[in-house]
Amino acid sequence: KAGVTQTPRYLIKTRGQQVTLSCSPISGHRSVSWYQQTPGQGLQFLFEYFSETQRNKGNFPGRFSGRQFSNSRSEMNVSTLELGDSALYLCASSLARGSQETQYFGPGTRLLVL
Amino acid sequence: AQSVSQHNHHVILSEAASLELGCNYSYGGTVNLFWYVQYPGQHLQLLLKYFSGDPLVKGIKGFEAEFIKSKFSFNLRKPSVQWSDTAEYFCAVNLNQGGKLIFGQGTELSVKP
């Protein structure tokens, strides 16, 4: 079974631009979560989607948004990019929504904002 | 705010040495606990998890962890490390908030052959 896939793998943008990242969960998985990983802040939860609805949101500004489609694929969008948005963005999927579900992580999208 | 602390940022061991990585969390309610590992160039993957029952849980590759509720700790152990255990290790907590994981800062483990 294919794992979680994320596209693109690398991205370079300039301040003020916007970016859309994509995540395809493992087949059959219905829950998708997004995390930001930086050397200074570590891994921080962005949001969680299940059945096309955002179920949980981390402490990030409104410039960070996401959505989930009926096939469980998810996208996250960052508008008006700032230098501090440079990070590895990880997507994780799980079979269902629950605190005991194992989350399977993708390889991430590395975003560099210049 | 709830948080997860991993005491060691970088641990260097020789092969066959024993390993213990500390993890403490700050939350008084029911928690679900995880250890993830990220090998160089690879995805984050689950090592082991604890929800309830026996506080000593065994995971993949000979790792185990012990949940001590009174100490709010979930330390990772391995009796004898190998060079292939070189990786970054993350402790994570789920506070019964769906899929939201709160991660520690990570511990980088370097094993010398």
Side-chain angles (χ1 to χ4, degrees):
Chain A
K1 207 183 237 188
V4 176
T5 57
Q6 294 186 243
T7 56
R9 293 293 310 280
Y10 304 93
L11 209 47
I12 300 175
K13 292 285 188 179
T14 56
R15 277 183 302 174
Q17 288 187 308
Q18 74 164 16
V19 67
T20 299
L21 312 181
S22 181
C23 171
S24 292
I26 292 172
S27 177
H29 284 198
R30 297 173 59 200
S31 180
V32 172
S33 296
W34 288 88
Y35 294 83
Q36 182 196 65
Q37 186 176 21
T38 59
Q41 300 297 317
L43 277 153
Q44 293 187 290
F45 173 79
L46 279 156
F47 22 66
E48 175 194 14
Y49 286 87
F50 180 76
S51 293
E52 302 176 63
T53 303
Q54 187 180 93
R55 304 290 179 159
N56 227 328
K57 191 177 192 306
N59 295 326
F60 280 82
R63 300 185 297 107
F64 290 81
S65 62
R67 58 179 176 167
Q68 186 181 34
F69 302 94
S70 58
N71 62 357
S72 295
R73 192 176 68 84
S74 177
E75 289 181 347
M76 68 163 280
N77 185 276
V78 188
S79 62
T80 320
L81 283 166
E82 300 177 0
L83 296 179
D85 297 332
S86 294
L88 181 67
Y89 290 88
L90 295 173
C91 169
S93 76
S94 60
L95 198 58
R97 181 172 189 258
S99 57
Q100 298 182 357
E101 290 287 329
T102 296
Q103 294 193 37
Y104 296 83
F105 284 81
T109 293
R110 188 165 294 281
L111 171 65
L112 177 62
V113 182
L114 301 176
Chain B
Q2 297 87 10
S3 65
V4 178
S5 298
Q6 291 184 240
H7 315 301
N8 312 100
H9 293 298
H10 192 186
V11 172
I12 302 172
L13 296 173
S14 298
E15 276 194 314
S18 64
L19 170 72
E20 180 158 4
L21 301 182
C23 173
N24 285 90
Y25 60 93
S26 60
Y27 182 69
T30 302
V31 294
N32 300 297
L33 299 157
F34 305 80
W35 275 98
Y36 279 85
V37 62
Q38 189 168 31
Y39 298 102
Q42 294 189 29
H43 309 178
L44 265 174
Q45 58 182 282
L46 183 69
L47 264 182
L48 47 79
K49 57 188 178 183
Y50 172 79
F51 303 144
S52 62
D54 188 344
L56 186 62
V57 292
K58 295 190 184 302
I60 61 172
K61 304 186 181 187
F63 286 90
E64 63 180 32
E66 184 176 16
F67 170 56
I68 303 179
K69 189 174 182 180
S70 61
K71 295 185 178 180
F72 301 93
S73 71
F74 189 54
N75 292 353
L76 182 71
R77 299 196 292 245
K78 186 171 185 179
S80 175
V81 295
Q82 301 171 317
W83 176 79
S84 58
D85 293 324
T86 295
E88 189 156 16
Y89 294 80
F90 294 91
C91 180
V93 170
N94 185 305
L95 308 178
N96 287 316
Q97 295 177 355
K100 177 181 178 180
L101 291 173
I102 302 172
F103 281 90
Q105 283 290 92
T107 297
E108 187 180 345
L109 172 66
S110 300
V111 180
K112 298 182 295 184

